[in-house]
Amino acid sequence: MTSRFAVLGAGLMGRLMALSLKRLGYRVDLYDQGGPDGASSAAYAAAAMLSPLAESLDAEPLVVALGQASLRLWPEIIKTLPAPVFFQQEGTLVLWHPQDRDQAVQFDERLSRGQKTGMFDEPHRTLSAVEIETLEPHLGKRFSRALWLPREGQLDNRMLLKALYSGLLEAGVEIHWETAMTPAAVTADWVIDCRGLGSKADWIQIRGVRGEVLRVHSTEVTLTRPIRLLHPRYPLYIAPKPEGHYVVGATQIETEDTSPTSVRSALELLSALYSIHPAFGEARVLEMVSQCRPALPHHLPEIRWAGGRVIEINGLYRHGYLVAPAVLEAGLDLIKRLLDAPIGADWQNQQPWSPIYHLKEAA
Ligand SMILES: Cc1cc2nc3c(=O)[nH]c(=O)nc-3n(C[C@H](O)[C@H](O)[C@H](O)COP(=O)(O)OP(=O)(O)OC[C@H]3O[C@@H](n4cnc5c(N)ncnc54)[C@H](O)[C@@H]3O)c2cc1C
């Protein structure tokens, strides 16, 4: 008989997983405590930058490897969806103000070290003022140097969530909105727990890391690719989305508070935007969003299976979009191995299986 799956959480990972399982021919129920727009998920707030090299400054090599693999997988996933999703792979421009020059030197050295160890599949480059202007004419010669990460990308998170929702409806997944669920309460052969921060009661190491982003609209400045601005406190970026929208983010604060954006954060994010180009002063602030990223202590994603019918996928932290396709593949591979295993097999002892090992295989 066809296995019946319950996927808990319809944020980024849950939507991808439910759709993939349904397309593989299983019966799938998807539960979320919120509604179809995904506003209760970290996925809704995110800038959806796909920047493995830029993230390598703070992230583990595994995240970089999963990110590079995922950059190749996203176009394949998007192609199968019934609605358009803005996806771009035009690189990232890393900029800094003169007072933050030392950070640029360190960043450059870190990237060069990564390059030597074969960690990156494409080298970064230093650009002159003329080269910066050629890439982004609206910046003119405001910056004398930049670092250029040519293969990085981004997508539009809200378009993706919508397109995945259409895909789920089209495929016939049974979706239960406004339904908070726990693995113990759900009846299914298998439970895939993708509740992000909502899994805290079952996975105590999960914590939330607050992030705030702004969405602005500008008719006066045109940037065509994401810009990272080196900053002493947290990585700041400006990600241009379709129709003159820009996502400016993101703060990173060790708290699970999801109350509205603070004045301090708004000031810092808007100052960063204004410092890139004063014409952003006339942009309109459309939205200020705050959400928590689901994180594990090692800041790596994990797929956890303890021998029962529940598989947990969590810890996507600030890299959910960056790594999701590769994590999805690893999760599907684990599910396949479990379904193919002979009944009663002492599965854990048959293989040197560990979540990280499993994800390393995917990368
Ligand atoms: C401000 C911000 C900026 C970010 N920027 C980026 C970026 O540029 N690039 C990048 O790669 N990543 C970014 N991220 C990270 C990315 O958004 C997350 O890693 C990703 O969304 C995690 O996916 P998830 O599916 O595990 O969790 P979520 O997307 O949070 O989804 C979890 C879902 O579970 C549901 N849920 C919770 N409890 C229950 C329950 N009991 N029953 C049913 N449903 C439940 C929630 O409603 C939610 O829909 C950012 C995150 C934030 C907050």
Side-chain angles (χ1 to χ4, degrees):
M1 214 174 75
T2 315
S3 294
R4 188 165 160 205
F5 283 83
V7 177
L8 311 190
L12 176 60
M13 205 61 227
R15 285 182 203 219
L16 286 167
M17 180 53 83
L19 186 57
S20 303
L21 289 170
K22 187 68 191 177
R23 285 178 175 168
L24 287 170
Y26 300 113
R27 291 167 63 198
V28 182
D29 284 77
L30 174 63
Y31 297 85
D32 199 281
Q33 65 183 6
D37 62 0
S40 57
S41 66
Y44 183 82
M49 306 258 294
L50 311 173
S51 37
L53 270 73
E55 287 296 318
S56 72
L57 199 59
D58 303 307
E60 294 288 326
L62 178 60
V63 169
V64 177
L66 292 169
Q68 292 184 143
S70 296
L71 261 170
R72 292 187 285 273
L73 296 169
W74 270 122
E76 298 302 311
I77 293 175
I78 289 169
K79 213 163 55 189
T80 70
L81 298 177
V85 179
F86 167 75
F87 170 86
Q88 179 196 64
Q89 202 172 353
E90 303 281 338
T92 303
L93 201 54
V94 183
L95 300 175
W96 56 91
H97 294 301
Q99 67 272 22
D100 297 324
R101 196 184 159 273
D102 287 353
Q103 281 194 60
V105 172
Q106 277 173 26
F107 191 67
D108 192 8
E109 282 171 6
R110 281 285 286 271
L111 289 177
S112 301
R113 270 204 301 277
Q115 201 63 54
K116 278 194 196 115
T117 60
M119 192 171 161
F120 307 134
D121 49 15
E122 180 113 7
H124 72 290
R125 275 182 50 212
T126 302
L127 300 186
S128 66
V130 173
E131 289 171 308
I132 298 169
E133 189 179 26
T134 308
L135 273 184
E136 292 293 352
H138 274 211
L139 289 180
K141 295 197 180 64
R142 297 175 55 75
F143 294 87
S144 57
R145 282 269 179 284
L147 293 175
W148 169 232
L149 317 178
R151 289 204 62 251
E152 298 207 328
Q154 62 153 337
L155 55 80
D156 188 306
N157 58 328
R158 306 269 173 94
M159 286 175 88
L160 178 75
L161 291 173
K162 247 188 224 161
L164 284 169
Y165 177 41
S166 304
L168 291 163
L169 291 177
E170 190 182 82
V173 171
E174 292 283 335
I175 313 179
H176 311 265
W177 298 117
E178 315 293 340
T179 310
M181 193 51 84
T182 61
V186 79
T187 47
D189 302 313
W190 293 93
V191 181
I192 316 297
D193 186 354
C194 304
R195 288 174 296 157
L197 198 55
S199 297
K200 230 174 124 74
D202 296 302
W203 195 337
I204 52 163
Q205 292 95 338
I206 295 280
R207 75 179 200 288
V209 180
R210 176 179 166 100
E212 297 149 299
V213 293
L214 309 180
R215 282 190 173 240
V216 306
H217 179 243
S218 174
T219 50
E220 298 188 19
V221 188
T222 304
L223 299 174
T224 49
R225 53 182 57 75
I227 290 195
R228 289 237 167 196
L229 183 64
L230 296 180
H231 184 277
R233 273 197 295 283
Y234 32 69
L236 282 168
Y237 47 74
I238 300 164
K241 305 294 180 189
E243 297 174 3
H245 288 205
Y246 294 85
V247 176
V248 188
T251 58
Q252 179 149 315
I253 305 167
E254 279 294 337
T255 170
E256 292 184 359
D257 171 12
T258 52
S259 63
T261 308
S262 70
V263 169
R264 180 196 170 120
S265 297
L267 281 171
E268 288 185 342
L269 294 172
L270 288 171
S271 312
L273 182 69
Y274 185 68
S275 75
I276 292 285
H277 199 305
F280 271 122
E282 286 308 312
R284 297 296 184 258
V285 180
L286 303 178
E287 229 183 281
M288 298 194 189
V289 195
S290 45
Q291 258 297 349
C292 280
R293 311 161 175 101
L296 283 162
H298 49 38
H299 290 168
L300 292 168
E302 264 200 44
I303 301 174
R304 194 168 79 155
W305 175 67
R309 65 179 186 131
V310 181
I311 295 168
E312 297 159 289
I313 306 181
N314 218 318
L316 272 67
Y317 185 39
R318 48 182 280 167
H319 309 119
Y321 285 91
L322 178 62
V323 302
V327 174
L328 175 71
E329 284 210 335
L332 291 171
D333 184 44
L334 171 65
I335 291 166
K336 185 176 178 310
R337 290 191 204 192
L338 290 174
L339 289 174
D340 290 348
I343 291 168
D346 185 3
W347 208 87
Q348 259 178 318
N349 290 331
Q350 282 178 21
Q351 303 245 7
W353 189 84
S354 81
I356 300 296
Y357 159 81
H358 208 73
L359 285 171
K360 275 190 180 142
E361 280 193 333

